[in-house]
Amino acid sequence: VQLQASGGGLVQTGGSLRLSCAASGRIFSINAMGWYRQAPGKQRELVVTITSDGITTYGNSVSGRFTISRDNAKNTVYLQADSLVPEDTAVYYCYADLKTGFYGRSSDYWGQGTLVTVSS
């Protein structure tokens, strides 16, 4: 299983970015996908997740500014990040909770991370 993220980069305060993450490989079903982020010297924190039923959970620091969407047919999620501020600077990691077969439990998978830098 691979999670391929793209869309990071440098943006000015108040700007926007759109990140995408596609899951590929041996995938039987996906329970949830989403994004976490880790700023220098800080712990990894939740950005947002979305379940296969479309239920979203947003981190407090991004609620109202970021929007997640999902294309189940493509096993892909998109993160629209608006009104960015320097505090949003971090490596953003794609996440998936999925099963690779009919039997067994689901597991967490992580992408390689994409850097988002917001300049003041």
Side-chain angles (χ1 to χ4, degrees):
V1 175
Q2 288 188 327
L3 300 181
Q4 183 65 46
S6 61
L10 175 64
V11 64
Q12 292 185 334
T13 296
S16 298
L17 281 176
R18 188 171 188 253
L19 307 182
S20 64
C21 175
S24 62
R26 184 181 175 183
I27 299 171
F28 177 76
S29 63
I30 300 178
N31 296 325
M33 293 185 70
W35 299 89
Y36 285 72
R37 69 185 183 185
Q38 188 167 18
K42 296 187 176 181
Q43 290 187 330
R44 189 172 296 190
E45 66 173 358
L46 169 69
V47 178
V48 59
T49 59
I50 184 168
T51 70
S52 58
D53 296 330
I55 298 173
T56 57
T57 302
Y58 285 89
N60 290 336
S61 59
V62 305
S63 182
R65 298 186 298 122
F66 290 14
T67 304
I68 192 169
S69 59
R70 177 171 178 167
D71 186 334
N72 288 336
K74 295 182 179 179
N75 292 334
T76 299
V77 291
Y78 306 94
L79 179 66
Q80 180 65 39
D82 298 321
S83 303
L84 287 161
V85 296
E87 291 73 23
D88 294 317
T89 295
V91 176
Y92 284 68
Y93 294 93
C94 179
Y95 158 84
D97 171 21
L98 61 84
K99 294 180 65 176
T100 58
F102 179 81
Y103 297 103
R105 302 171 63 179
S106 63
S107 298
D108 293 341
Y109 291 83
W110 296 91
Q112 81 283 5
T114 184
L115 178 63
V116 172
T117 303
V118 184
S119 63
S120 57

